[in-house]
């Protein structure tokens, strides 16, 4: 999104993963999307790094508080770890944090973009939903992503490239861009996701996050199908 926007990467990803009117999560893997977005932002900001790119081992470079509850909690967990762990491992751990997607949604409620509510399912169960209150941030985000994807030569910044990469990994990119644009600019999207039109340091982040989110997202599905 444009530089003047103060949403974090995970907030942008989640905003696109929530149905505007119903306020429900549109994808079965938003936790992994949020977790990947958290780590990609921390790496893009130089707070985390891959000490062993081949094994994708994560280490803390700057553990100072950022001022965001979820980002700071993640930095603290990684910094306090007795042993280094891989990016994929950390995405799985963060995605498994209690009520991660709801905590992220509440952040957007505090910003006045969503509102917290409840609805009833099958007359028996109640669930938390987050209908959109202010459509402008999501509209601006979609416009920004479409403009980046529809451009040809502009270098893509790390944050935007991370958002596009994560949305593609969890199957939300068509929804964010519109199927026609996503299909027409397929090659451009591939260049962004592969890091071809980003800075070298960003490419390493994108490669790691894309692989980790994709693997973490499909493992539960594979486990479920083999247990039948």
């Amino acid at each position: 999104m444009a530089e003047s926007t103060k949403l974090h990467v995970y907030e942008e990803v989640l905003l696109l993963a929530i149905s505007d009117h119903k306020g429900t999560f549109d994808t079965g893997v938003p936790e992994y999307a949020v977790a990947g977005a958290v780590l990609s932002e921390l790496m893009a900001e130089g707070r985390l790094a891959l000490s062993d790119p081949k094994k994708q081992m994560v280490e803390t470079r700057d553990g100072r508080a950022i001022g965001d509850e979820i980002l700071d909690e993640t930095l603290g967990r990684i910094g306090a770890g007795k042993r280094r762990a891989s990016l994929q491992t950390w995405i799985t751990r963060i995605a498994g944090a209690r009520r991660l997607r709801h905590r992220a949604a509440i952040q957007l409620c505090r910003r006045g973009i969503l509102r917290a509510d409840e609805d009833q399912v099958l007359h028996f169960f109640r669930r938390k939903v987050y209908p959109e209150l202010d459509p402008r941030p999501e509209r601006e985000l979609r416009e920004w992503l479409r403009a980046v994807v529809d451009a040809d030569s502009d270098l893509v910044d790390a944050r935007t490239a991370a958002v596009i990469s994560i949305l593609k990994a969890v199957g939300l990119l068509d929804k964010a861009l519109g199927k026609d644009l996503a299909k027409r600019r397929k090659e451009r999207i591939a260049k962004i996701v592969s890091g071809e039109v980003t800075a070298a340091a960003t490419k390493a982040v994108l490669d790691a996050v894309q692989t980790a989110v994709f693997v973490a997202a499909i493992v539960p599905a594979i486990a479920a199908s083999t247990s039948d």
Side-chain angles (χ1 to χ4, degrees):
M1 189 181 278
E3 291 181 6
S4 60
T5 302
K6 296 181 180 179
L7 292 183
H8 293 291
V9 174
Y10 75 84
E11 292 174 315
E12 294 181 345
V13 168
L14 190 67
L15 186 57
L16 294 170
I18 293 179
S19 172
D20 297 348
H21 303 297
K22 294 181 180 179
T24 54
F25 298 101
D26 278 358
T27 172
V29 289
E31 289 89 353
Y32 294 109
V34 173
V38 167
L39 287 172
S40 66
E41 181 164 355
L42 290 174
M43 287 193 289
E45 295 296 327
R47 299 308 188 96
L48 299 176
L50 298 179
S51 59
D52 184 342
K54 203 167 186 179
K55 294 182 179 179
Q56 297 188 335
M57 305 301 286
V58 179
E59 69 175 11
T60 303
R61 288 286 175 85
D62 183 352
R64 292 176 298 171
I66 293 172
D68 176 85
E69 181 181 324
I70 293 175
L71 294 176
D72 289 342
E73 181 180 293
T74 301
L75 267 178
R77 286 184 65 184
I78 294 174
K82 294 182 180 179
R83 295 182 180 179
R84 290 186 306 164
S86 69
L87 181 64
Q88 182 182 327
T89 296
W90 276 115
I91 285 182
T92 303
R93 288 176 181 174
I94 296 165
R98 186 171 179 271
R99 297 179 59 78
L100 176 65
R101 65 183 182 180
H102 291 283
R103 290 173 60 200
I106 289 297
Q107 294 275 77
L108 291 170
C109 292
R110 290 171 180 158
R111 292 183 184 272
I113 299 171
L114 305 179
R115 65 179 174 84
D117 205 346
E118 285 188 348
D119 70 359
Q120 199 162 349
V121 183
L122 300 175
H123 304 290
F124 297 105
F125 305 101
R126 300 196 67 81
R127 64 180 175 181
K128 294 286 186 182
V129 294
Y130 304 93
E132 197 165 62
L133 198 59
D134 180 359
R136 289 174 299 176
E138 182 176 0
R139 183 172 61 244
E140 291 173 1
L141 173 57
R142 289 177 186 276
E143 290 172 354
W144 173 251
L145 294 178
R146 287 169 182 154
V148 169
V149 167
D150 215 14
D152 288 315
S153 58
D154 292 342
L155 190 68
V156 180
D157 67 278
R159 289 170 53 89
T160 302
V163 172
I164 291 172
S165 183
I166 291 165
L167 290 174
K168 181 170 173 49
V170 296
L172 285 172
L173 195 56
D174 282 3
K175 176 194 171 188
L177 300 177
K179 289 184 178 181
D180 289 344
L181 179 60
K183 183 178 181 180
R184 179 166 59 83
R185 302 296 288 172
K186 188 176 180 180
E187 291 184 9
R188 166 72 168 174
I189 292 168
K191 289 180 179 180
I192 293 172
V193 171
S194 69
E196 188 174 331
V197 291
T198 63
T202 303
K203 184 181 185 305
V205 174
L206 292 182
D207 287 345
V209 172
Q210 177 81 4
T211 301
V213 172
F214 178 75
V215 173
I218 66 172
V219 164
I222 294 174
S225 65
T226 56
S227 64
D228 292 339

